[in-house]
Amino acid sequence: MDTVQKAMAGFSLDLGPLKEPLGFIRVLEWVFSIFAFATIGGYTGTTHLTVSCPDGDKPVEAFFAYPFRLAMKPYCLPPSCNGSCTETYLQGDFSSSAQFFVCVGVFAFLYCTATLIVYLGYRSVYLQTSRGPVIDLLLTAAFAFLWLVSSSAWGKGLTDVKYATDPNRLVQLCTSCKAGEFPSMGRLNASVIFGFLNLILWAGNCWFIYKETPFHKVPAPPTTMQEGGAPGP
């Protein structure tokens, strides 16, 4: 209880840092990290096939969803024209790259939330010693690296998901089938874009945090001779 009271006693809301690059970019990181993991989490897709029958085409639908363990749910391929079907599974497990990407996004969001509270409420404490900016710089650089790795891994994983769910490839398993509608993956494409935008934001923000650290030395202005003065020896 005493710790909470001390923390609240030191809190002083100041929106000034939001007008500076350090705070403004942190808000952008907070927003784009939400977009990154929200566009992939909860995704569901369907790939479509049709089977030619004398009385018309019969649809076949194969469902898949985040975290993209495609073999979890069977679909009927091909259903014969009398109504019977054979259970078939999509192939591939791309959950590791997808979950890693979401994990980075969630932790980045939490870190942005924490640092924004520090920037806006405990600015004096943050700048009181060099420890705060240095730790902030190291963690921001680490997140920039994680965004690079996770976005690249998920971009490759998304390419594999598209290949595994491509109806033009799946019809090769069924002689009487025709390719139908390709799964809508606009959200997943956007997630990769948001991932690399986060990389740019976090890497760029390292410079503004670096300027708050003691590693960034502002050069002293050159001394000028006073009027009538003679230069020193």
Side-chain angles (χ1 to χ4, degrees), residues 114-170:
T115 51
L116 282 173
I117 293 174
V118 173
Y119 290 170
L120 302 182
Y122 301 94
R123 180 70 172 174
S124 59
V125 178
Y126 175 79
L127 297 176
Q128 189 173 4
T129 64
S130 61
R131 182 180 302 175
V134 169
I135 294 176
D136 192 14
L137 174 62
L138 293 176
L139 290 176
T140 300
F143 270 108
F145 176 74
L146 288 174
W147 277 119
L148 171 63
V149 176
S150 63
S151 299
S152 301
W154 170 230
K156 175 61 169 62
L158 177 57
T159 301
D160 294 337
V161 169
K162 290 179 178 179
Y163 176 78
T165 58
D166 186 353
N168 293 309
R169 190 185 70 86
L170 296 176

Side-chain angles (χ1 to χ4, degrees), residues 146-198:
L146 288 174
W147 277 119
L148 171 63
V149 176
S150 63
S151 299
S152 301
W154 170 230
K156 175 61 169 62
L158 177 57
T159 301
D160 294 337
V161 169
K162 290 179 178 179
Y163 176 78
T165 58
D166 186 353
N168 293 309
R169 190 185 70 86
L170 296 176
V171 294
Q172 299 174 5
L173 306 175
C174 172
T175 57
S176 60
C177 296
K178 295 185 296 185
E181 182 181 353
F182 193 86
S184 176
M185 296 190 180
R187 281 179 55 184
L188 302 184
N189 293 330
S191 68
V192 176
I193 295 173
F194 285 129
F196 283 105
L197 285 176
N198 272 291

Side-chain angles (χ1 to χ4, degrees), residues 24 26 31 35-36 43 54 80-81 85 92 96 112 130-131 136 139 145 154 182 194 200 220:
F24 179 71
R26 187 65 84 194
V31 173
F35 287 164
Y43 172 85
S80 62
C81 294
C85 69
S96 58
C112 287
S130 61
R131 182 180 302 175
D136 192 14
L139 290 176
F145 176 74
W154 170 230
F182 193 86
F194 285 129
I200 296 172

